[in-house]
Amino acid sequence: QFVNGLKDNVLLKSIPNALRKLIVNFPSGQGWIGDMEILRGDVLDVVELRGGDQFRGTIKESEFSLQTFYGPVSVPVDQVIGLFSIGQFRPHQLVITTDGQIFGGSLKKQTLDIELSSGQVIPIPLNQISRAGYRKRVGEPDEWKFEKPMILLRSGERIAIRPPTADLNVATRYGSLALKPSMVAAIAFEGEESNVHQIYLTDGSKLSGLFLADSLEVTLDAGGQTVKLPASAIARLQLAPKVPEIEDAAPSLRISGDDQLIGLVTGKLGLDTAFDTITINAAEVKSITRAKESVQDVQVALWDGTTLSGQLHDSELACRLNSGVDLKVPLALLDRYTQPQPQPSAAMMDRIKTVVADLNSDDWKARDRAQAALLSMGPVAEGVLKDLRDKQPAEAQKAIDLVIAKLQEQRKKDPSSVSATPNAGAFRIDD
């Protein structure tokens, strides 16, 4: 009742007029470009002059041809909803389209023709116009949805492009990487806290690095024109609608600094312990934690709860990210590696396969015992069950789905749960 009873004029009456104007006109939604409101008419088109006068009628233009710093661009008139004329002495124009694109440059035609309701056509010089807008069209979207690949320029322009075909080469702390465009969600060229570029991959990984090319050749979505944009002029390259969220079960490497890699450590790890050298299959590793006081000293936790401390032979970890990128992470940069669903040993995988076979038994008691046995193995069996599921009959698939759902609930309640067998023995060796 208190909120419903609030009145704007009461809340704002003690605030100075200049500040009140900023609050009331706070830009929101697609009716604004930055702090500038797009001029739209309900019934007629509108042209507003720098002095404040407005002409209403029908804008008579067949197309908008712009000369931009990256070449000439022609925007069909049926895709334009408005324009701004920016600058005091030699104004340039921003043309806004129905899908939220913004093209900046100098219009080839230096006047904007508008037909008044009286039938008279008036050519208005561009240097006299502050903004212009078309009446709202039937079927026009209520909200811009930026689902196409986009480039945002430092000058404020927003351009839809077709997906690039050439690899995007970047220099990172893990070496030079040639990234396929399908692997990249976005590249932020203009960072808020750092001068290096931020690369976001489609698997949720985030890397700091530098885009190596001086320019980026792209094809505009509107018209299919190929242009070359200087890398220094780009604020953000957005190839996916949004940066994906990271799943709870996704394996990840937390890197010192701000990087996060979503993927698996691969290959074999040689670990020198206090008593022997142990070879570890990386797929069976649940976590690797590096000691703060040493580069090579780590503690490795395995799928069955075994923990080992020692020094790794190699100074780099071979990794394959979920997006398909292969790289090597210097051990000195690693804070922690976690794999919520490590692969069991070969013997354990054989045991799981044997139990899964019992899900197809004609004896319902055998099927129940098989489900109970799989549940007792804990979340470590989840990954193997997912791999085996599609090869099973329909009834066994239903049973596997039920077991996986219960294992996921078990993991959420106890993230550290990795027991492979009930009442399993364990030992720990300290250096």
Side-chain angles (χ1 to χ4, degrees):
Q1 289 176 349
F2 169 73
V3 172
N4 290 333
L6 291 177
K7 304 296 181 182
D8 291 347
N9 59 341
V10 176
L11 292 173
L12 301 175
K13 70 177 182 180
S14 61
I15 298 176
N17 288 335
L19 182 56
R20 187 186 307 180
K21 180 179 179 182
L22 292 175
I23 296 173
V24 173
N25 293 323
F26 188 82
S28 62
Q30 69 179 45
W32 294 79
I33 299 296
D35 59 354
M36 302 181 297
E37 184 180 10
I38 300 174
L39 186 64
R40 304 298 304 275
D42 293 327
V43 179
L44 301 172
D45 304 335
V46 188
V47 176
E48 184 177 87
L49 305 186
R50 292 181 178 274
D53 292 344
Q54 290 188 348
F55 290 85
R56 297 181 181 271
T58 302
I59 296 176
K60 308 292 287 184
E61 299 292 338
S62 58
E63 69 173 5
F64 289 89
S65 296
L66 281 164
Q67 182 61 44
T68 71
F69 71 90
Y70 49 86
V73 174
S74 181
V75 185
V77 67
D78 60 348
Q79 296 182 16
V80 176
I81 62 172
L83 67 85
F84 293 98
S85 192
I86 309 297
Q88 183 175 358
F89 302 106
R90 297 189 63 182
H92 67 279
Q93 287 72 47
L94 295 179
V95 177
I96 301 96
T97 67
T98 52
D99 58 359
Q101 296 185 69
I102 307 171
F103 295 94
S106 298
L107 282 172
K108 182 178 179 181
K109 187 169 177 285
Q110 291 299 302
T111 60
L112 192 65
D113 298 342
I114 183 168
E115 181 181 359
L116 304 180
S117 56
S118 61
Q120 181 181 359
V121 177
I122 300 177
I124 304 176
L126 289 177
N127 59 12
Q128 299 297 317
I129 297 174
S130 63
R131 55 182 179 161
Y134 283 89
R135 70 197 73 178
K136 294 184 178 180
R137 301 182 178 96
V138 176
E140 191 173 306
D142 295 328
E143 184 179 352
W144 289 329
K145 296 181 179 179
F146 302 112
E147 297 177 344
K148 298 178 181 178
M150 286 267 181
I151 287 183
L152 282 70
L153 300 181
R154 294 177 186 269
S155 56
E157 297 170 56
R158 187 165 53 210
I159 306 168
I161 62 171
R162 295 176 185 175
T165 55
D167 290 348
L168 303 173
N169 296 302
V170 295
T172 71
R173 294 187 286 179
Y174 324 103
S176 296
L177 303 176
L179 302 175
K180 296 184 182 302
S182 59
M183 301 174 175
V184 179
I187 300 179
F189 290 77
E190 191 175 44
E192 296 180 359
E193 301 178 356
S194 174
N195 291 327
V196 298
H197 304 152
Q198 299 294 324
I199 300 106
Y200 301 89
L201 302 184
T202 52
D203 57 19
S205 297
K206 177 185 176 183
L207 301 81
S208 299
L210 291 173
F211 185 73
L212 293 177
D214 294 330
S215 61
L216 182 63
E217 187 172 276
V218 295
T219 301
L220 303 184
D221 185 64
Q225 180 182 352
T226 300
V227 298
K228 185 175 289 187
L229 298 168
S232 58
I234 302 175
R236 187 179 181 90
L237 171 66
Q238 188 80 29
L239 298 180
K242 62 179 181 178
V243 176
E245 296 181 0
I246 302 172
E247 298 180 359
D248 294 337
S252 66
L253 294 92
R254 190 174 68 228
I255 308 298
S256 58
D258 200 26
D259 287 6
Q260 185 170 17
L261 307 179
I262 308 302
L264 293 168
V265 173
T266 60
K268 301 288 185 179
L269 304 178
L271 184 70
D272 289 332
T273 67
F275 57 91
D276 200 357
T277 298
I278 299 177
T279 300
I280 301 171
N281 181 9
E284 299 176 15
V285 172
K286 186 181 182 231
S287 68
I288 301 175
T289 306
R290 184 176 62 82
K292 299 300 182 183
E293 63 277 2
S294 173
V295 173
Q296 297 294 109
D297 290 350
V298 298
Q299 184 181 69
V300 180
L302 301 183
W303 65 276
D304 57 359
T306 300
T307 57
L308 302 167
S309 296
Q311 289 190 341
L312 288 176
H313 285 183
D314 297 326
S315 60
E316 295 179 322
L317 293 174
C319 301
R320 182 171 182 83
L321 305 187
N322 289 355
S323 57
V325 180
D326 291 307
L327 48 77
K328 291 188 176 181
V329 177
L331 192 58
L333 297 178
L334 179 70
D335 284 341
R336 183 176 172 84
Y337 165 66
T338 56
Q339 160 58 311
Q341 295 180 347
Q343 176 183 301
S345 64
M348 188 65 183
M349 291 180 67
D350 290 340
R351 181 183 172 191
I352 294 174
K353 292 177 182 178
T354 301
V355 176
V356 167
D358 290 340
L359 294 175
N360 299 312
S361 173
D362 294 333
D363 184 358
W364 64 270
K365 293 181 180 180
R367 294 197 301 269
D368 286 350
R369 284 196 300 268
Q371 288 191 42
L374 291 173
L375 285 172
S376 70
M377 295 177 187
V380 72
E382 184 178 335
V384 182
L385 291 175
K386 289 180 178 179
D387 292 337
L388 297 174
R389 179 190 181 280
D390 293 340
K391 301 176 183 178
Q392 306 304 314
E395 288 300 322
Q397 288 185 6
K398 292 180 181 179
I400 289 174
D401 290 340
L402 180 63
V403 171
I404 289 176
K406 291 183 178 180
L407 291 177
Q408 289 175 343
E409 291 178 5
Q410 181 180 339
R411 188 180 67 249
K412 289 178 181 178
K413 292 179 180 178
D414 182 10
S416 63
S417 175
V418 292
S419 177
T421 55
N423 301 319
F427 65 90
R428 172 175 176 154
I429 299 175
D430 295 322
D431 293 344

